[in-house]
Amino acid sequence: MTASHNDLANAIRALSMDAVQAANSGHPGMPMGMADAATVLFTKHLKYDPTRPDWADRDRFVLSAGHGSMLIYSLLYLTGYAAPTIDDIRNFRQTGSPCAGHPENFLLDGVEATTGPLGQGLAMAVGMAMAERHLNARFGDALVDHRTWVLAGDGCLMEGINHEAVGLAGHLQLGRLNVIWDDNRITIDGPTDLSTSEDIKARYAATGWHVVECDAHDAGALDAAMKAAKADPRPSLIAARSIIGYGAPTKQGTSATHGAPLGPDEIAGTRDALGWNAEPFVIPDNVLSAWRSAGERGAEMSASWRSKAERQPEWDDFSAAMSGEIGDALETAIEAHIAGLIDAPVKEATRKSSEETLKVVNAALANTIGGSADLTGSNNTRTADLGIFSAENYAGRYVYYGIREFGMAAAMNGMALHGGVIPYGGTFLIFSDYSRPAIRLGALQQTRAVHVLTHDSIGLGEDGPTHQPVEQVMTLRAIPNLNVFRPADAVETAECWALALQSKEAPSVLALTRQGLPQMRKEGVVGNLSSRGAYRLKAADAERKVIFLATGSEVHLAMNAAAQLENEGVGCDVISMPCWELFRQQPDSYRRDLLPDVDPSRILRVSIEAGVTLGWAEYTMANGLNIGIDSFGASAPASELFEKFGFTTDAVVSRVKDKLNKS
Amino acid sequence: MTASHNDLANAIRALSMDAVQAANSGHPGMPMGMADAATVLFTKHLKYDPTRPDWADRDRFVLSAGHGSMLIYSLLYLTGYAAPTIDDIRNFRQTGSPCAGHPENFLLDGVEATTGPLGQGLAMAVGMAMAERHLNARFGDALVDHRTWVLAGDGCLMEGINHEAVGLAGHLQLGRLNVIWDDNRITIDGPTDLSTSEDIKARYAATGWHVVECDAHDAGALDAAMKAAKADPRPSLIAARSIIGYGAPTKQGTSATHGAPLGPDEIAGTRDALGWNAEPFVIPDNVLSAWRSAGERGAEMSASWRSKAERQPEWDDFSAAMSGEIGDALETAIEAHIAGLIDAPVKEATRKSSEETLKVVNAALANTIGGSADLTGSNNTRTADLGIFSAENYAGRYVYYGIREFGMAAAMNGMALHGGVIPYGGTFLIFSDYSRPAIRLGALQQTRAVHVLTHDSIGLGEDGPTHQPVEQVMTLRAIPNLNVFRPADAVETAECWALALQSKEAPSVLALTRQGLPQMRKEGVVGNLSSRGAYRLKAADAERKVIFLATGSEVHLAMNAAAQLENEGVGCDVISMPCWELFRQQPDSYRRDLLPDVDPSRILRVSIEAGVTLGWAEYTMANGLNIGIDSFGASAPASELFEKFGFTTDAVVSRVKDKLNKS
């Protein structure tokens, strides 16, 4: 007995409603509404091989409407991926099941991105499509020639980030990107017309997209729409008019199906309406067999690709790029660069030091793709050799992202997830508030991306409090699995870049100054001192009474204050602390050496950082002194601001002496 | 000698280029390009009275492209506001001048909003236009009948938030909102076609806007376009094709004029090209006189408005609303509500407690406007009596914001800036990452808005790590001038709502649970205990060895752990700490009473909060114990997650005893 399209689609519906019911939690409406579209996509259009989920030239599928996670779990099971198993689906949303509430890229092969925070899936897909075109330009059709498919809902399309993503994709003419819009006219609060009156199709057309419409429950129409999307050289929006919770007799078409189990009665009614008689979590043999056959379509394609690919002259380079390894050339080049700095110290802004490092990095590593959200000259992110990534030149390695900080960061995540490239991108540190949700999602997804965040304190001067980050460095430190680097000079900047690029499973932030900084490190050392997260830059000469802990532009201030205190017989250590996260990972013995466990009244610990003091007590202890800024900044020349906020040698020395005298 | 339109516009250009040159910092290109549009607006269309900047029925003007701040400073000076003076303009961007790098609403009357973070000015203007229509519906044309004007650049229109703002304005048919788009085709990185290919006019039309085009250097065309905008019932986009840095002979039309002084030679050339012979900071008498006359247009209008307004029966209510005072009725009503809870304690989620409080608040205060970013049922933000705010019913007090967290928060800021209403809006706490830039800008602007952020920990359960805030409470605490409340039960929730509403000059966050919590406070007290930020919920019975500090859903856990420890002879205080910011403001004696300054080895301090531990050492000291979550969450039922992450009575007791035994 063969299986019909409806049988295949109903298998998704049944698994979805039953799993949500079993979990007593989840979102059945979307998978039930999009089952037909997903069936057509996964049986006729998507290029994938469940037995080789890491096939480099597979199509990428991103479920941007991540709450409909049962859709992708159903598809992965039905098409024959090793996981999830039917038991995993039975345990949807339970401890230990890879079928988590939202799809997590680190739990299941075939989940190309972690989604759920709306709009970001689509925006990451733009990055995947950019990576695909870039690698195609670099390595040729035989190695790289695939598409990126997205399933997005009204929520994704209302979020601001979709405007940024759509604008970027339209401008770059990413014709390999096809977005299926689940046009169900329902949001959580009710009909979409409660909150929007937009003509979405016209908006996409205005942004350079191809738009095609179809009935989301007509397999033939879906097939034709997907063919049209593939044929068009522009990115495509497939507006698929759908019924949320399709099949649920009394609830379909309403927000009642969106985010709650249907309930036993409605589920029974749905079985009747769909003619689906199988028990929960049972897929009839003919249906499963048809699904598995669809999954097997890809095996020959992937084998054929591989045999051809391996014969290409670019194969080794391509494999190396896809491996994500950065090789020894980079380390050697950065070491040579640092040796040059030791020979001829510089005074420069760390954003400039970053540019000098990037000259070395971009020459040594062909995989980097840089860019900036319209602050190229300020972020110092562009080096001469990169070429511009554009619709006319996908081989270019520098992206003018436009004024789209969030879209940029999400695209960088998408590139990193795609693999083969290492993205970095710049904006002002203050605007990490705009891109923060993507920085976080990159950390959760364990992707490598480097966020180059310049103008990192009141040191930016006249632009004033809207542009002066005071809490951003600390709040970025609060994000798990994110390395926040705030280097003190040109040498630390080069070290931190090396660490960021070596970090395959965590993104990094580089917080860099606008203003010039003297070089603190003038002696060569073996290894990368910043890799310990913190290190003793200066040991006390006189009896140690004070330990300074400082980062970035405040390290030289700590050194100056220490020098003055030493003149007065007060011995001071100075710890430079470019990365809290790496310091936390050091052995206890190393940490105790820098920060000995002695009575705080005997050795005063003083933190200096031109940002909020919140958090520093962890290192300075209850009786420590935390020098920072716990208010908004102000508009004035930088030197006046540093004086106003107490960041001068005299002010620091005076506060330290007051504190020493009191304790 | 009368002054021509060009004379008036050139006065803006001269002040702008000279002030930027004097500061050696700033953005001359935008004010020079938009001088004609601003002149037409401020001499012919904008309703304002420089002598009464607080005139309630004035038009609001928002310079969304805030970097062009010299435009508004020029206009305020020229039209005769008390400030800035010409000396303030001479001191543009210098210490103490109200002419800061970006316009700050708290420094100058006539600056309706702090702008600079791109896109947010436009989004706040949407909120102002909403407030205007709402107050018009409530109080009538005689009292409220004005427009909101915005000047926005390409940056504002590329940012994602503009999509959310534009969608909301189009849906709500805010015909009193008119946006002048500085269509200069230049961004910082170069021509706009480096990064965008969008047909902006078509996009706005697709979103329900009226679009009119004009030459930004043709006064007649600008006038006609503004008339058309005023006549159309939809929100209007005036696409004003402009030349950035208009008048600068070699630099106009290029990004070289955007963000740097023109230089002495170019400025001299501009003077020649414009026929402007006056010295820097000197405005010829005839020109200043013409400008002042334009400014004086409004005096009669405002006087006439006032005399009519005062005769309206609604005048007293209107004045009370615009004063921003909330009156005693609210306090009394909340006290009665709390008394009811003391009489009949409840076990409920604090999001539900918030809803119960809102029933009281919305009945007692006619000024509240609530809403949610499509999570009404989850955020519990809607009470029955509000009515829906829509194009058909501006009298409604509940806004379906759609899936637009950032747009919602920015609109709330705009409403608060407009005055007459008190906005609150809900989303999940995790999505404060999306709205964070607006929460911050509200704090900087000293506006009152209440962000109702529910599902505030792993306690939300199955939705998993994308939806589980672990660092959000702490990172919100890092924002200056923001009160972050995390109430422990129904009583604290009511207290925190009262405090949030009383806070006229700082926004508030309420972090609320999805899951039910037992009521901790069962005895009546005089006053609002949460107003101290932290208070002793339980004093030690046995000799005090431990002080627990906990917030929100972890307070009852601390109480349970304390009870068990007391059984074993270990005396424990429990401090409930709903608001760090308010606790910091308490006198030293109060803080020392709760947290005595004794050797930490004698009394162990233990923090419990289901979020990052970063920051807690400030209160628990170096030898304290911080129980928290320093990784991402996971997908599972809430009770299993609390167990997995160590938030059970047994786990807490065990860790405390281990620590006591070690010290």
Side-chain angles (χ1 to χ4, degrees):
Chain A
M1 192 172 81
T2 59
S4 67
H5 164 84
N6 283 346
D7 293 333
L8 299 188
N10 288 340
I12 297 172
R13 293 189 175 102
L15 286 175
S16 299
M17 68 181 182
D18 291 333
V20 171
Q21 189 66 38
N24 197 26
S25 165
H27 302 76
M30 194 283 246
M32 295 174 76
M34 282 288 100
D36 293 307
T39 299
V40 173
L41 179 61
F42 273 70
T43 60
K44 293 188 190 304
H45 294 281
L46 194 76
K47 183 168 84 169
Y48 66 106
D49 178 358
T51 65
R52 287 185 174 275
D54 61 347
W55 174 20
D57 199 35
R58 71 191 181 278
D59 283 357
R60 270 45 169 194
F61 172 73
V62 177
L63 187 72
S64 191
H67 52 273
S69 55
M70 269 310 304
L71 185 75
I72 184 73
Y73 302 147
S74 300
L75 290 162
L76 296 179
Y77 166 69
L78 292 168
T79 56
Y81 280 76
T85 64
I86 195 73
D87 277 344
D88 292 333
I89 288 178
R90 272 182 207 274
N91 288 311
F92 176 56
R93 291 182 158 235
Q94 306 308 302
T95 302
S97 172
C99 297
H102 291 81
E104 311 287 1
N105 68 307
F106 50 89
L107 292 181
L108 283 173
D109 286 335
V111 172
E112 303 284 0
T114 290
T115 50
L118 292 177
Q120 288 199 61
L122 196 163
M124 289 190 281
V126 171
M128 293 179 187
M130 290 169 70
E132 191 272 344
R133 281 296 86 187
H134 178 71
L135 295 171
N136 172 273
R138 186 173 165 203
F139 295 113
D141 285 346
L143 288 164
V144 184
D145 185 17
H146 57 268
R147 295 177 194 281
T148 304
W149 295 86
V150 178
L151 207 163
D154 283 294
C156 291
L157 271 50
M158 284 174 85
E159 289 286 359
I161 189 175
N162 109 92
H163 167 63
E164 301 182 16
V166 164
L168 199 56
H171 178 65
L172 295 172
Q173 295 176 34
L174 299 174
R176 299 303 183 100
L177 176 67
N178 297 318
V179 175
I180 302 167
W181 165 34
D182 177 11
D183 178 16
N184 61 31
R185 307 196 187 172
I186 290 293
T187 72
I188 291 174
D189 276 354
T192 47
D193 63 12
L194 280 180
S195 58
T196 183
S197 310
E198 182 191 332
D199 180 346
I200 288 177
K201 297 185 283 277
R203 174 166 67 88
Y204 272 70
T207 317
W209 283 55
H210 164 239
V211 176
V212 55
E213 296 179 64
C214 68
D215 176 345
H217 305 296
D218 176 337
L222 284 160
D223 185 40
M226 291 182 201
K227 280 184 179 145
K230 287 158 78 173
D232 197 279
R234 295 165 294 177
S236 290
L237 179 75
I238 300 172
R241 181 71 181 95
S242 66
I243 297 170
I244 191 170
Y246 184 91
T250 72
K251 294 186 175 177
Q252 71 174 12
T254 75
S255 54
T257 68
H258 169 82
L262 296 179
D265 293 349
E266 186 79 5
I267 284 179
T270 307
R271 281 194 146 71
D272 287 349
L274 297 176
W276 184 266
N277 303 314
E279 292 297 303
F281 307 109
V282 173
I283 306 297
D285 287 347
N286 65 318
V287 178
L288 189 59
S289 163
W291 264 116
R292 292 287 156 91
S293 296
E296 285 158 12
R297 286 182 316 129
E300 195 187 331
M301 277 189 280
S302 80
S304 143
W305 173 83
R306 191 170 176 91
S307 71
K308 192 159 83 177
E310 288 176 347
R311 296 194 306 269
Q312 305 300 313
E314 299 85 0
W315 172 250
D316 287 346
D317 282 352
F318 175 73
S319 298
M322 291 304 294
S323 77
E325 300 299 335
I326 57 173
D328 299 333
L330 177 76
E331 197 170 342
T332 308
I334 290 185
E335 281 171 7
H337 172 61
I338 291 175
L341 290 168
I342 299 296
D343 286 347
V346 296
K347 178 178 179 176
E348 66 187 9
T350 49
R351 62 180 171 138
K352 177 70 180 163
S353 307
S354 172
E355 181 183 346
E356 296 299 318
T357 308
L358 276 171
K359 289 178 183 170
V360 174
V361 167
N362 288 332
L365 259 188
N367 304 352
T368 51
I369 294 196
S372 167
D374 199 45
L375 289 167
T376 295
S378 298
N379 301 145
N380 300 62
T381 34
R382 187 176 162 198
T383 60
D385 50 330
L386 294 179
I388 303 306
F389 182 91
S390 69
E392 294 74 39
N393 179 33
Y394 290 128
R397 290 168 59 197
Y398 192 79
V399 185
Y400 286 117
Y401 282 102
I403 300 122
R404 303 181 178 108
E405 298 83 6
F406 190 7
M408 172 177 72
M412 286 162 59
N413 286 343
M415 288 185 209
L417 288 163
H418 182 282
V421 296
I422 301 175
Y424 71 85
T427 185
F428 288 155
L429 174 57
I430 191 72
F431 296 129
S432 65
D433 277 4
Y434 278 49
S435 57
R436 186 176 178 89
I439 296 175
R440 182 184 210 261
L441 198 53
L444 176 59
Q445 293 179 107
Q446 303 166 17
T447 52
R448 173 174 48 195
V450 186
H451 302 276
V452 180
L453 303 175
T454 70
H455 296 58
D456 75 344
S457 76
I458 53 167
L460 66 84
E462 292 87 347
D463 271 347
T466 53
H467 283 57
Q468 288 162 358
V470 293
E471 75 277 25
Q472 279 65 24
V473 166
M474 192 60 74
T475 60
L476 289 165
R477 286 182 186 133
I479 297 178
N481 197 43
L482 173 68
N483 289 320
V484 179
F485 296 100
R486 190 166 187 253
D489 67 1
V491 173
E492 278 193 11
T493 302
E495 289 182 339
C496 292
W497 257 113
L499 295 165
L501 292 165
Q502 285 157 10
S503 170
K504 272 185 74 173
E505 297 190 349
S508 298
V509 157
L510 294 171
L512 304 171
T513 64
R514 177 192 185 208
Q515 74 275 21
L517 298 180
Q519 187 170 318
M520 297 285 98
R521 294 265 300 278
K522 294 179 182 163
E523 288 175 32
V525 295
V526 175
N528 180 327
L529 292 184
S530 299
S531 71
R532 316 287 313 241
Y535 62 91
R536 187 178 290 116
L537 180 63
K538 171 200 172 306
D541 293 327
E543 187 196 353
R544 183 169 62 181
K545 292 285 188 190
V546 174
I547 299 175
F548 282 105
L549 298 104
T551 74
S553 52
E554 284 65 68
V555 172
H556 79 275
L557 175 59
M559 288 293 276
N560 291 344
Q564 192 164 318
L565 287 161
E566 294 271 8
N567 281 343
E568 303 180 29
V570 179
C572 301
D573 280 4
V574 176
I575 311 290
S576 180
M577 205 167 177
C579 183
W580 282 29
E581 294 79 13
L582 294 179
F583 182 59
R584 288 214 186 93
Q585 295 166 21
Q586 300 308 307
D588 208 49
S589 57
Y590 181 80
R591 288 187 289 129
R592 290 287 167 217
D593 178 55
L594 294 193
L595 297 172
D597 199 6
V598 296
D599 181 353
S601 64
R602 279 192 42 228
I603 303 182
L604 175 66
R605 298 191 193 172
V606 180
S607 68
I608 318 183
E609 185 170 72
V612 292
T613 57
L614 187 152
W616 273 105
E618 180 177 342
Y619 297 108
T620 54
M621 307 194 294
N623 285 316
L625 175 61
N626 299 311
I627 298 177
I629 303 175
D630 289 311
S631 65
F632 290 110
S635 172
S639 60
E640 295 177 28
L641 290 175
F642 279 123
E643 186 156 342
K644 171 186 166 79
F645 285 98
F647 289 82
T648 63
T649 304
D650 286 348
V652 169
V653 166
S654 160
R655 287 189 65 184
V656 170
K657 284 161 69 177
D658 279 0
K659 185 84 185 177
L660 286 173
N661 292 337
K662 271 186 211 150
S663 38
Chain B
M1 192 174 79
T2 60
S4 68
H5 165 84
N6 282 347
D7 292 335
L8 299 187
N10 287 340
I12 296 172
R13 294 190 174 102
L15 286 175
S16 299
M17 69 181 180
D18 291 334
V20 171
Q21 189 67 37
N24 196 27
S25 165
H27 301 77
M30 194 283 246
M32 295 174 76
M34 282 289 99
D36 293 306
T39 299
V40 173
L41 179 62
F42 273 69
T43 60
K44 292 188 192 302
H45 294 281
L46 194 76
K47 184 169 81 169
Y48 66 108
D49 177 359
T51 66
R52 287 186 174 274
D54 61 347
W55 175 19
D57 199 34
R58 70 191 183 277
D59 284 356
R60 269 47 169 192
F61 172 72
V62 177
L63 187 72
S64 191
H67 53 273
S69 55
M70 269 311 304
L71 184 75
I72 184 74
Y73 302 146
S74 300
L75 289 162
L76 296 179
Y77 167 67
L78 292 168
T79 56
Y81 280 77
T85 65
I86 195 72
D87 277 344
D88 292 333
I89 289 179
R90 273 181 208 274
N91 287 313
F92 176 56
R93 292 184 158 232
Q94 306 307 303
T95 301
S97 172
C99 297
H102 291 81
E104 311 287 1
N105 68 306
F106 50 89
L107 292 180
L108 282 173
D109 286 334
V111 172
E112 303 284 1
T114 290
T115 51
L118 292 177
Q120 288 199 62
L122 197 163
M124 289 190 282
V126 171
M128 293 179 187
M130 290 169 70
E132 191 274 342
R133 281 296 86 188
H134 177 72
L135 295 171
N136 172 273
R138 185 171 166 206
F139 295 112
D141 284 347
L143 287 164
V144 184
D145 185 17
H146 57 268
R147 295 176 193 281
T148 303
W149 296 85
V150 178
L151 207 163
D154 284 293
C156 291
L157 271 50
M158 286 174 85
E159 289 286 358
I161 189 176
N162 109 92
H163 167 64
E164 300 182 17
V166 163
L168 198 55
H171 178 66
L172 295 172
Q173 296 177 34
L174 300 173
R176 299 304 183 101
L177 176 66
N178 297 318
V179 176
I180 303 167
W181 164 35
D182 177 11
D183 178 17
N184 61 30
R185 306 197 187 171
I186 289 294
T187 73
I188 292 174
D189 275 355
T192 47
D193 63 12
L194 280 180
S195 59
T196 183
S197 310
E198 182 192 332
D199 180 345
I200 287 176
K201 297 184 284 276
R203 173 165 69 86
Y204 272 70
T207 316
W209 283 55
H210 164 238
V211 177
V212 54
E213 297 178 63
C214 68
D215 176 345
H217 305 295
D218 177 336
L222 284 159
D223 185 41
M226 291 180 201
K227 281 184 180 145
K230 285 158 77 173
D232 197 279
R234 295 164 293 178
S236 291
L237 179 74
I238 300 171
R241 181 70 182 97
S242 67
I243 297 171
I244 191 171
Y246 183 91
T250 72
K251 294 185 175 176
Q252 71 173 12
T254 74
S255 54
T257 68
H258 169 82
L262 296 179
D265 293 348
E266 187 78 4
I267 284 180
T270 306
R271 281 192 148 69
D272 287 348
L274 297 176
W276 184 267
N277 302 314
E279 292 298 303
F281 307 110
V282 173
I283 307 298
D285 287 347
N286 65 318
V287 179
L288 188 58
S289 164
W291 264 116
R292 291 286 156 92
S293 296
E296 286 158 12
R297 285 183 317 130
E300 196 186 331
M301 277 188 280
S302 79
S304 143
W305 173 84
R306 191 170 177 90
S307 71
K308 192 159 81 175
E310 287 176 349
R311 296 194 305 269
Q312 305 300 314
E314 299 86 359
W315 171 251
D316 287 346
D317 282 351
F318 175 73
S319 297
M322 290 304 295
S323 78
E325 300 300 333
I326 56 173
D328 300 332
L330 177 76
E331 197 170 341
T332 308
I334 289 185
E335 280 171 7
H337 173 61
I338 291 175
L341 290 168
I342 299 297
D343 286 348
V346 296
K347 178 178 179 179
E348 67 187 8
T350 49
R351 62 179 171 138
K352 178 69 181 163
S353 307
S354 171
E355 181 183 347
E356 296 300 319
T357 308
L358 276 172
K359 289 178 184 171
V360 174
V361 167
N362 288 332
L365 258 189
N367 305 351
T368 51
I369 293 196
S372 167
D374 199 44
L375 289 167
T376 294
S378 298
N379 300 145
N380 300 62
T381 33
R382 187 177 162 197
T383 60
D385 50 332
L386 294 179
I388 303 306
F389 182 91
S390 69
E392 294 74 38
N393 179 33
Y394 291 128
R397 290 167 59 196
Y398 192 79
V399 185
Y400 286 117
Y401 282 102
I403 301 121
R404 304 181 177 109
E405 298 84 6
F406 191 7
M408 173 177 72
M412 287 162 60
N413 286 342
M415 287 185 209
L417 288 164
H418 181 282
V421 296
I422 301 175
Y424 71 85
T427 184
F428 288 155
L429 174 57
I430 192 72
F431 297 130
S432 65
D433 276 4
Y434 278 49
S435 56
R436 186 177 178 88
I439 296 175
R440 183 184 209 261
L441 198 55
L444 176 59
Q445 293 180 108
Q446 302 166 19
T447 52
R448 173 174 48 195
V450 186
H451 303 275
V452 180
L453 303 176
T454 70
H455 295 59
D456 76 343
S457 76
I458 54 166
L460 66 85
E462 293 88 346
D463 272 346
T466 52
H467 283 57
Q468 288 162 357
V470 293
E471 76 276 25
Q472 278 67 23
V473 167
M474 192 60 73
T475 60
L476 288 165
R477 287 183 183 132
I479 297 178
N481 197 43
L482 173 69
N483 289 320
V484 179
F485 296 100
R486 189 164 187 255
D489 66 2
V491 174
E492 279 194 9
T493 303
E495 289 182 338
C496 293
W497 257 113
L499 296 166
L501 292 165
Q502 286 157 9
S503 170
K504 272 184 75 173
E505 297 190 348
S508 298
V509 157
L510 293 171
L512 304 171
T513 64
R514 176 192 186 209
Q515 75 276 20
L517 298 181
Q519 187 170 319
M520 297 285 99
R521 294 265 300 280
K522 295 178 182 162
E523 289 174 32
V525 296
V526 175
N528 181 326
L529 292 183
S530 299
S531 70
R532 315 290 308 245
Y535 62 91
R536 187 178 291 115
L537 180 63
K538 171 201 174 303
D541 294 325
E543 186 196 355
R544 182 168 63 180
K545 292 284 187 191
V546 174
I547 300 175
F548 283 104
L549 300 104
T551 74
S553 52
E554 283 66 68
V555 172
H556 78 274
L557 176 59
M559 288 291 276
N560 291 345
Q564 192 163 319
L565 287 161
E566 294 270 8
N567 282 342
E568 302 181 32
V570 179
C572 301
D573 280 4
V574 176
I575 311 290
S576 180
M577 204 168 179
C579 183
W580 283 28
E581 294 78 14
L582 294 178
F583 182 59
R584 289 215 185 91
Q585 294 166 23
Q586 299 309 307
D588 207 49
S589 56
Y590 181 80
R591 288 187 289 131
R592 290 286 166 218
D593 177 55
L594 294 193
L595 297 172
D597 198 7
V598 296
D599 181 353
S601 64
R602 280 192 41 228
I603 302 182
L604 174 66
R605 299 191 192 171
V606 181
S607 68
I608 317 184
E609 185 170 72
V612 292
T613 57
L614 186 151
W616 274 105
E618 179 177 344
Y619 297 108
T620 54
M621 306 194 294
N623 285 317
L625 175 61
N626 299 311
I627 298 178
I629 303 175
D630 290 311
S631 66
F632 291 109
S635 171
S639 60
E640 294 177 30
L641 290 175
F642 279 122
E643 186 156 341
K644 171 186 166 82
F645 286 98
F647 289 82
T648 63
T649 304
D650 286 348
V652 169
V653 166
S654 158
R655 288 188 63 184
V656 171
K657 284 161 70 177
D658 279 358
K659 186 84 184 176
L660 287 172
N661 292 337
K662 272 186 207 148
S663 39

